[in-house]
Amino acid sequence: MKNIDIDFAKLCFENKQYQKAKEIFLENNMLYEAGLSSLLMGNINSTKLIWKEIKNPGFAESWGFIILDIIEKKSFTKTPKYFQTRAFLEVYLNLFLENELYDWADSIINAYKFFTKANAEVPKFIARVLSTYGYFELTHEFANIAKKICYYDPEIHYIEAEMFFIENKYEMAKKAIEETLNIAPDYFPAKKLNKIIEESGFN
């Protein structure tokens, strides 16, 4: 296995040159990575063919098959494991949005109740990704869902505070930040944003 080739394949993947990345991954028998490259080109059938060649599917590969089921709206899908969901849901949702595979991103978002069975933090994961792309309304929607599941998670209040701040809703941002700090007084990102709001005179 040529490490220089693999490094180049990773660089191609990061730069969305998925066809070239796929070719190199296949040459090096890195079937999961090759299949994912194919998927991000929008080719489900090619992805299936590649992943089915994996003799002993592991943590990542089994997650990939679950995502294919979700995309294709299969009536029965194997429930993922807790750590699979924690490790991969945000990654796949981000990759789909980044590559403008919006229907597939919607499939993940719409299946949030299914994924929440495996990991109760899923609404928060979704809110965090959506906030990155500026989907304000959906971010708040999933933040509210997350708070109903676990109100005392400081991160979800912070995610919502960031959104309010970007929306110029400074009073609401300040309130969300204060709630974050009530739950976790040493939560550094919240302390930093709180300082910005106070020093700017927004509140």
Side-chain angles (χ1 to χ4, degrees):
M1 190 177 289
K2 299 177 181 178
N3 288 330
I4 190 169
D5 287 347
I6 295 170
D7 288 342
F8 182 58
K10 291 176 180 177
L11 183 63
C12 290
F13 186 93
E14 290 168 2
N15 286 281
K16 301 184 181 181
Q17 298 175 18
Y18 297 122
Q19 181 60 41
K20 185 62 179 177
K22 173 186 169 182
E23 291 170 4
I24 300 172
F25 286 138
L26 284 174
E27 288 171 4
N28 288 278
N29 200 36
M30 298 176 68
L31 299 181
Y32 170 72
E33 291 81 0
L36 181 56
S37 299
S38 191
L39 184 63
L40 295 177
M41 289 189 287
N43 197 330
I44 291 177
N45 290 332
S46 174
T47 301
K48 284 182 181 178
L49 289 172
I50 294 169
W51 282 349
K52 284 180 179 178
E53 289 296 314
I54 300 172
K55 294 180 180 178
N56 297 301
F59 197 68
E61 293 86 357
S62 61
W63 170 266
F65 282 117
I66 289 169
I67 290 298
L68 291 179
D69 283 351
I70 294 295
I71 288 171
E72 296 185 310
K73 297 177 170 60
K74 295 284 180 69
S75 58
F76 175 79
T77 303
K78 180 181 177 182
T79 304
K81 304 294 186 184
Y82 172 87
F83 285 110
Q84 274 183 311
T85 308
R86 188 175 183 85
F88 294 114
L89 187 136
E90 286 183 84
V91 172
Y92 272 68
L93 181 54
N94 182 72
L95 285 171
F96 288 166
L97 288 172
E98 185 180 304
N99 288 282
E100 300 180 359
L101 298 166
Y102 298 122
D103 288 345
W104 295 356
D106 282 344
S107 293
I108 291 178
I109 293 168
N110 291 334
Y112 82 90
K113 290 182 180 178
F114 166 76
F115 288 115
T116 301
K117 292 177 184 177
N119 189 319
E121 291 183 285
V122 162
K124 180 180 74 175
F125 298 157
I126 292 174
R128 185 158 53 201
V129 175
L130 292 173
S131 71
T132 301
Y133 288 88
Y135 293 109
F136 302 142
E137 289 186 16
L138 276 174
T139 298
H140 292 308
E141 179 181 334
F142 277 92
N144 285 327
I145 294 170
K147 285 189 290 186
K148 288 178 182 177
I149 294 171
C150 183
Y151 187 84
Y152 294 100
D153 181 342
E155 190 174 13
I156 193 59
H157 294 281
Y158 175 72
I159 291 168
E160 194 164 41
E162 280 191 313
M163 280 292 93
F164 284 137
F165 187 77
I166 293 169
E167 294 173 287
N168 300 323
K169 298 176 180 177
Y170 303 120
E171 286 187 15
M172 297 176 78
K174 178 67 173 175
K175 184 177 179 181
I177 282 294
E178 288 174 348
E179 194 64 9
T180 307
L181 293 172
N182 283 336
I183 296 166
D186 294 323
Y187 192 78
F188 177 75
K191 291 171 72 174
K192 184 177 180 181
L193 182 55
N194 189 48
K195 186 176 181 181
I196 291 171
I197 293 172
E198 290 180 345
E199 289 182 350
S200 300
F202 289 134
N203 59 314

PDB file of all heavy atoms in Angstrom, residues 60-78:
ATOM      1  N   ALA A  60     -18.125   1.602  10.290  1.00  0.00           N
ATOM      2  CA  ALA A  60     -18.440   2.622   9.284  1.00  0.00           C
ATOM      3  C   ALA A  60     -19.300   2.060   8.162  1.00  0.00           C
ATOM      4  O   ALA A  60     -20.257   2.700   7.717  1.00  0.00           O
ATOM      5  CB  ALA A  60     -17.142   3.195   8.715  1.00  0.00           C
ATOM      6  N   GLU A  61     -18.944   0.851   7.695  1.00  0.00           N
ATOM      7  CA  GLU A  61     -19.664   0.268   6.572  1.00  0.00           C
ATOM      8  C   GLU A  61     -21.130  -0.007   6.903  1.00  0.00           C
ATOM      9  O   GLU A  61     -22.026   0.262   6.094  1.00  0.00           O
ATOM     10  CB  GLU A  61     -18.987  -1.026   6.118  1.00  0.00           C
ATOM     11  CG  GLU A  61     -17.613  -0.838   5.510  1.00  0.00           C
ATOM     12  CD  GLU A  61     -16.501  -0.802   6.548  1.00  0.00           C
ATOM     13  OE1 GLU A  61     -16.804  -0.863   7.755  1.00  0.00           O
ATOM     14  OE2 GLU A  61     -15.321  -0.721   6.150  1.00  0.00           O
ATOM     15  N   SER A  62     -21.386  -0.534   8.091  1.00  0.00           N
ATOM     16  CA  SER A  62     -22.775  -0.828   8.465  1.00  0.00           C
ATOM     17  C   SER A  62     -23.580   0.453   8.583  1.00  0.00           C
ATOM     18  O   SER A  62     -24.771   0.488   8.255  1.00  0.00           O
ATOM     19  CB  SER A  62     -22.827  -1.634   9.764  1.00  0.00           C
ATOM     20  OG  SER A  62     -22.246  -0.932  10.838  1.00  0.00           O
ATOM     21  N   TRP A  63     -22.943   1.535   9.041  1.00  0.00           N
ATOM     22  CA  TRP A  63     -23.617   2.833   9.062  1.00  0.00           C
ATOM     23  C   TRP A  63     -23.962   3.262   7.636  1.00  0.00           C
ATOM     24  O   TRP A  63     -25.064   3.760   7.367  1.00  0.00           O
ATOM     25  CB  TRP A  63     -22.746   3.894   9.718  1.00  0.00           C
ATOM     26  CG  TRP A  63     -23.293   5.278   9.544  1.00  0.00           C
ATOM     27  CD1 TRP A  63     -22.977   6.177   8.563  1.00  0.00           C
ATOM     28  CD2 TRP A  63     -24.308   5.906  10.341  1.00  0.00           C
ATOM     29  NE1 TRP A  63     -23.714   7.327   8.715  1.00  0.00           N
ATOM     30  CE2 TRP A  63     -24.538   7.188   9.792  1.00  0.00           C
ATOM     31  CE3 TRP A  63     -25.025   5.513  11.467  1.00  0.00           C
ATOM     32  CZ2 TRP A  63     -25.458   8.077  10.320  1.00  0.00           C
ATOM     33  CZ3 TRP A  63     -25.952   6.400  12.007  1.00  0.00           C
ATOM     34  CH2 TRP A  63     -26.163   7.663  11.436  1.00  0.00           C
ATOM     35  N   GLY A  64     -23.022   3.069   6.725  1.00  0.00           N
ATOM     36  CA  GLY A  64     -23.256   3.439   5.331  1.00  0.00           C
ATOM     37  C   GLY A  64     -24.479   2.748   4.755  1.00  0.00           C
ATOM     38  O   GLY A  64     -25.292   3.376   4.053  1.00  0.00           O
ATOM     39  N   PHE A  65     -24.634   1.462   5.038  1.00  0.00           N
ATOM     40  CA  PHE A  65     -25.798   0.727   4.541  1.00  0.00           C
ATOM     41  C   PHE A  65     -27.092   1.257   5.154  1.00  0.00           C
ATOM     42  O   PHE A  65     -28.145   1.292   4.497  1.00  0.00           O
ATOM     43  CB  PHE A  65     -25.649  -0.765   4.823  1.00  0.00           C
ATOM     44  CG  PHE A  65     -24.720  -1.470   3.869  1.00  0.00           C
ATOM     45  CD1 PHE A  65     -23.559  -2.071   4.317  1.00  0.00           C
ATOM     46  CD2 PHE A  65     -25.009  -1.522   2.513  1.00  0.00           C
ATOM     47  CE1 PHE A  65     -22.702  -2.719   3.446  1.00  0.00           C
ATOM     48  CE2 PHE A  65     -24.159  -2.163   1.623  1.00  0.00           C
ATOM     49  CZ  PHE A  65     -23.000  -2.768   2.085  1.00  0.00           C
ATOM     50  N   ILE A  66     -27.042   1.669   6.415  1.00  0.00           N
ATOM     51  CA  ILE A  66     -28.220   2.262   7.056  1.00  0.00           C
ATOM     52  C   ILE A  66     -28.613   3.554   6.330  1.00  0.00           C
ATOM     53  O   ILE A  66     -29.795   3.800   6.054  1.00  0.00           O
ATOM     54  CB  ILE A  66     -27.944   2.535   8.549  1.00  0.00           C
ATOM     55  CG1 ILE A  66     -27.869   1.212   9.323  1.00  0.00           C
ATOM     56  CG2 ILE A  66     -29.020   3.446   9.162  1.00  0.00           C
ATOM     57  CD1 ILE A  66     -27.346   1.332  10.739  1.00  0.00           C
ATOM     58  N   ILE A  67     -27.623   4.363   6.008  1.00  0.00           N
ATOM     59  CA  ILE A  67     -27.895   5.616   5.303  1.00  0.00           C
ATOM     60  C   ILE A  67     -28.490   5.340   3.924  1.00  0.00           C
ATOM     61  O   ILE A  67     -29.415   6.037   3.480  1.00  0.00           O
ATOM     62  CB  ILE A  67     -26.614   6.472   5.184  1.00  0.00           C
ATOM     63  CG1 ILE A  67     -26.217   7.026   6.554  1.00  0.00           C
ATOM     64  CG2 ILE A  67     -26.807   7.618   4.188  1.00  0.00           C
ATOM     65  CD1 ILE A  67     -27.243   7.957   7.181  1.00  0.00           C
ATOM     66  N   LEU A  68     -27.995   4.327   3.241  1.00  0.00           N
ATOM     67  CA  LEU A  68     -28.572   3.978   1.940  1.00  0.00           C
ATOM     68  C   LEU A  68     -30.040   3.597   2.088  1.00  0.00           C
ATOM     69  O   LEU A  68     -30.883   3.975   1.261  1.00  0.00           O
ATOM     70  CB  LEU A  68     -27.792   2.827   1.298  1.00  0.00           C
ATOM     71  CG  LEU A  68     -26.368   3.146   0.822  1.00  0.00           C
ATOM     72  CD1 LEU A  68     -25.731   1.898   0.224  1.00  0.00           C
ATOM     73  CD2 LEU A  68     -26.374   4.265  -0.208  1.00  0.00           C
ATOM     74  N   ASP A  69     -30.353   2.847   3.132  1.00  0.00           N
ATOM     75  CA  ASP A  69     -31.754   2.482   3.389  1.00  0.00           C
ATOM     76  C   ASP A  69     -32.611   3.723   3.633  1.00  0.00           C
ATOM     77  O   ASP A  69     -33.742   3.820   3.142  1.00  0.00           O
ATOM     78  CB  ASP A  69     -31.854   1.556   4.607  1.00  0.00           C
ATOM     79  CG  ASP A  69     -31.454   0.127   4.300  1.00  0.00           C
ATOM     80  OD1 ASP A  69     -31.252  -0.193   3.104  1.00  0.00           O
ATOM     81  OD2 ASP A  69     -31.341  -0.673   5.248  1.00  0.00           O
ATOM     82  N   ILE A  70     -32.071   4.664   4.397  1.00  0.00           N
ATOM     83  CA  ILE A  70     -32.806   5.895   4.702  1.00  0.00           C
ATOM     84  C   ILE A  70     -33.037   6.704   3.425  1.00  0.00           C
ATOM     85  O   ILE A  70     -34.140   7.212   3.176  1.00  0.00           O
ATOM     86  CB  ILE A  70     -32.052   6.748   5.745  1.00  0.00           C
ATOM     87  CG1 ILE A  70     -32.006   6.029   7.100  1.00  0.00           C
ATOM     88  CG2 ILE A  70     -32.674   8.134   5.882  1.00  0.00           C
ATOM     89  CD1 ILE A  70     -33.354   5.823   7.761  1.00  0.00           C
ATOM     90  N   ILE A  71     -32.000   6.813   2.607  1.00  0.00           N
ATOM     91  CA  ILE A  71     -32.108   7.557   1.345  1.00  0.00           C
ATOM     92  C   ILE A  71     -33.175   6.937   0.446  1.00  0.00           C
ATOM     93  O   ILE A  71     -33.967   7.635  -0.191  1.00  0.00           O
ATOM     94  CB  ILE A  71     -30.747   7.566   0.610  1.00  0.00           C
ATOM     95  CG1 ILE A  71     -29.745   8.491   1.326  1.00  0.00           C
ATOM     96  CG2 ILE A  71     -30.918   8.032  -0.840  1.00  0.00           C
ATOM     97  CD1 ILE A  71     -28.334   8.378   0.790  1.00  0.00           C
ATOM     98  N   GLU A  72     -33.179   5.605   0.407  1.00  0.00           N
ATOM     99  CA  GLU A  72     -34.109   4.895  -0.484  1.00  0.00           C
ATOM    100  C   GLU A  72     -35.462   4.622   0.175  1.00  0.00           C
ATOM    101  O   GLU A  72     -36.311   3.950  -0.409  1.00  0.00           O
ATOM    102  CB  GLU A  72     -33.472   3.596  -0.955  1.00  0.00           C
ATOM    103  CG  GLU A  72     -32.234   3.824  -1.807  1.00  0.00           C
ATOM    104  CD  GLU A  72     -31.673   2.534  -2.388  1.00  0.00           C
ATOM    105  OE1 GLU A  72     -31.486   1.570  -1.621  1.00  0.00           O
ATOM    106  OE2 GLU A  72     -31.439   2.506  -3.613  1.00  0.00           O
ATOM    107  N   LYS A  73     -35.620   5.163   1.402  1.00  0.00           N
ATOM    108  CA  LYS A  73     -36.902   5.049   2.118  1.00  0.00           C
ATOM    109  C   LYS A  73     -37.365   3.599   2.261  1.00  0.00           C
ATOM    110  O   LYS A  73     -38.529   3.265   2.019  1.00  0.00           O
ATOM    111  CB  LYS A  73     -37.974   5.897   1.420  1.00  0.00           C
ATOM    112  CG  LYS A  73     -37.648   7.392   1.419  1.00  0.00           C
ATOM    113  CD  LYS A  73     -38.692   8.187   0.665  1.00  0.00           C
ATOM    114  CE  LYS A  73     -38.499   9.689   0.862  1.00  0.00           C
ATOM    115  NZ  LYS A  73     -37.189  10.170   0.407  1.00  0.00           N
ATOM    116  N   LYS A  74     -36.426   2.750   2.662  1.00  0.00           N
ATOM    117  CA  LYS A  74     -36.757   1.349   2.901  1.00  0.00           C
ATOM    118  C   LYS A  74     -37.703   1.245   4.104  1.00  0.00           C
ATOM    119  O   LYS A  74     -37.572   1.996   5.072  1.00  0.00           O
ATOM    120  CB  LYS A  74     -35.489   0.538   3.164  1.00  0.00           C
ATOM    121  CG  LYS A  74     -34.538   0.445   1.977  1.00  0.00           C
ATOM    122  CD  LYS A  74     -35.065  -0.527   0.944  1.00  0.00           C
ATOM    123  CE  LYS A  74     -34.111  -0.630  -0.255  1.00  0.00           C
ATOM    124  NZ  LYS A  74     -32.857  -1.295   0.089  1.00  0.00           N
ATOM    125  N   SER A  75     -38.629   0.311   4.026  1.00  0.00           N
ATOM    126  CA  SER A  75     -39.624   0.171   5.097  1.00  0.00           C
ATOM    127  C   SER A  75     -39.011  -0.385   6.379  1.00  0.00           C
ATOM    128  O   SER A  75     -39.496  -0.122   7.473  1.00  0.00           O
ATOM    129  CB  SER A  75     -40.768  -0.741   4.638  1.00  0.00           C
ATOM    130  OG  SER A  75     -40.273  -2.008   4.257  1.00  0.00           O
ATOM    131  N   PHE A  76     -37.934  -1.147   6.245  1.00  0.00           N
ATOM    132  CA  PHE A  76     -37.267  -1.682   7.433  1.00  0.00           C
ATOM    133  C   PHE A  76     -35.787  -1.351   7.358  1.00  0.00           C
ATOM    134  O   PHE A  76     -35.119  -1.628   6.364  1.00  0.00           O
ATOM    135  CB  PHE A  76     -37.438  -3.192   7.539  1.00  0.00           C
ATOM    136  CG  PHE A  76     -36.665  -3.790   8.687  1.00  0.00           C
ATOM    137  CD1 PHE A  76     -37.149  -3.705   9.986  1.00  0.00           C
ATOM    138  CD2 PHE A  76     -35.437  -4.405   8.474  1.00  0.00           C
ATOM    139  CE1 PHE A  76     -36.425  -4.236  11.056  1.00  0.00           C
ATOM    140  CE2 PHE A  76     -34.707  -4.936   9.537  1.00  0.00           C
ATOM    141  CZ  PHE A  76     -35.213  -4.856  10.823  1.00  0.00           C
ATOM    142  N   THR A  77     -35.297  -0.738   8.399  1.00  0.00           N
ATOM    143  CA  THR A  77     -33.882  -0.377   8.453  1.00  0.00           C
ATOM    144  C   THR A  77     -33.333  -0.760   9.815  1.00  0.00           C
ATOM    145  O   THR A  77     -33.958  -0.493  10.844  1.00  0.00           O
ATOM    146  CB  THR A  77     -33.692   1.148   8.257  1.00  0.00           C
ATOM    147  OG1 THR A  77     -34.288   1.532   7.016  1.00  0.00           O
ATOM    148  CG2 THR A  77     -32.218   1.519   8.240  1.00  0.00           C
ATOM    149  N   LYS A  78     -32.175  -1.367   9.810  1.00  0.00           N
ATOM    150  CA  LYS A  78     -31.526  -1.751  11.058  1.00  0.00           C
ATOM    151  C   LYS A  78     -31.184  -0.508  11.872  1.00  0.00           C
ATOM    152  O   LYS A  78     -30.631   0.461  11.352  1.00  0.00           O
ATOM    153  CB  LYS A  78     -30.253  -2.538  10.746  1.00  0.00           C
ATOM    154  CG  LYS A  78     -29.491  -2.998  11.985  1.00  0.00           C
ATOM    155  CD  LYS A  78     -28.222  -3.743  11.576  1.00  0.00           C
ATOM    156  CE  LYS A  78     -27.415  -4.142  12.803  1.00  0.00           C
ATOM    157  NZ  LYS A  78     -26.142  -4.821  12.415  1.00  0.00           N
TER     158      LYS A  78
END
